Amino acid sequence: MNFQFKKWSILPAMVLIAGTVALDQDPSTTQADPKPTTEVGQRKENQQDRIAQGVKSGQLTAGETANLETKEAAINGETKADRAANGGKLTAAEKAQINKQQNGVSKQIYADKHNANTQHYGNNKVDQRRENQQERIAQGIKSGQMTAGEAAKAENQQKGINQQVKADRAANGGKLTTGEKAQVNKEQNAASKSIYKKKHNAKTQPQAPPKSK
């Protein structure tokens, strides 16, 4: 009788603990994104993963990333148009053309990640904010929450801010005035809202259509 009581008193506690662990988990990190089912879709995802890694590591500058994502957006647009013209499928020639274009982008990704240009961040609030924005963009690219076109726009915005910071520092012996810091922070606030909207709107990185049954 004593054993039965202990068993039924322990069970609710175990259920409560399990429920608490489940609540602590972020659904966006525990649920896997649907994987592409064609070579074209898998290649597209692989390129985005490589770009995201370059952004996060600092191997790709904002300008380099914007250029790469603009090219990826163009390929995505071409793929979408080709599929629309062929009942949702790609011809062998279209697949070959897309693969050739992705080969070119792949070489560019490698070159950009291994050249002398890198994202440099100092130990100050302005640079920490810049690094944080890049990490948010990288996560959006990696997860597919940001399309190539959206990532290109976000990185172009960061590129403009970076150029402004560089010019201001060059004019002031490597430092920023209080007014310049306030201006940069205001621009980053606007960029932050834009990044959030891009990551939470209905647009996502297009995946390959499911195989026909």
Side-chain angles (χ1 to χ4, degrees):
M1 189 71 177
N2 187 38
F3 171 77
Q4 288 289 342
F5 174 77
K6 287 182 178 179
K7 181 177 73 172
W8 292 109
S9 63
I10 291 172
L11 194 59
M14 292 175 66
V15 172
L16 180 61
I17 292 170
T20 303
V21 171
L23 287 172
D24 284 341
Q25 292 178 333
D26 182 356
S28 64
T29 58
T30 57
Q31 295 178 359
D33 294 330
K35 294 295 180 183
T37 56
T38 67
E39 289 183 12
V40 170
Q42 289 170 353
R43 185 75 185 276
K44 185 192 308 179
E45 183 178 58
N46 179 58
Q47 301 281 59
Q48 290 300 95
D49 286 348
R50 291 174 64 203
I51 293 171
Q53 187 277 329
V55 174
K56 187 171 179 61
S57 67
Q59 289 174 291
L60 291 174
T61 66
E64 289 172 337
T65 306
N67 182 50
L68 290 169
E69 290 289 27
T70 298
K71 291 181 179 180
E72 285 292 307
I75 296 173
N76 291 346
E78 181 182 331
T79 303
K80 184 178 179 180
D82 287 342
R83 282 192 170 126
N86 297 305
K89 296 182 179 180
L90 295 171
T91 66
E94 289 167 344
K95 289 178 183 178
Q97 176 62 19
I98 290 168
N99 191 56
K100 181 180 179 181
Q101 292 172 331
Q102 287 286 25
N103 285 343
V105 175
S106 180
K107 290 178 181 179
Q108 188 63 53
I109 292 172
Y110 182 88
D112 287 345
K113 290 175 71 174
H114 293 83
N115 61 18
N117 299 325
T118 56
Q119 286 286 142
H120 293 293
Y121 305 108
N123 187 24
N124 56 73
K125 289 183 179 180
V126 170
D127 283 359
Q128 287 171 356
R129 185 81 186 274
R130 290 169 59 216
E131 185 174 18
N132 180 59
Q133 301 283 53
Q134 288 300 97
E135 288 181 354
R136 292 174 63 205
I137 294 171
Q139 188 277 330
I141 295 171
K142 175 75 175 176
S143 67
Q145 288 175 293
M146 295 180 78
T147 66
E150 288 176 329
K153 289 179 181 178
E155 288 289 30
N156 269 322
Q157 196 169 13
Q158 289 301 307
K159 177 185 175 182
I161 295 172
N162 292 345
Q163 290 175 337
Q164 179 183 329
V165 170
K166 183 178 180 180
D168 288 341
R169 281 181 171 150
N172 297 305
K175 297 182 179 180
L176 295 173
T177 66
T178 301
E180 289 167 344
K181 289 178 183 178
Q183 177 61 26
V184 171
N185 191 57
K186 182 180 179 180
E187 292 173 6
Q188 286 287 26
N189 285 342
S192 181
K193 290 179 181 178
S194 181
I195 292 169
Y196 181 89
K197 288 179 180 179
K198 287 178 173 62
K199 291 175 69 175
H200 293 83
N201 61 17
K203 297 177 182 178
T204 56
Q205 186 65 26
Q207 300 291 349
K211 293 180 180 179
S212 56
K213 296 180 180 180

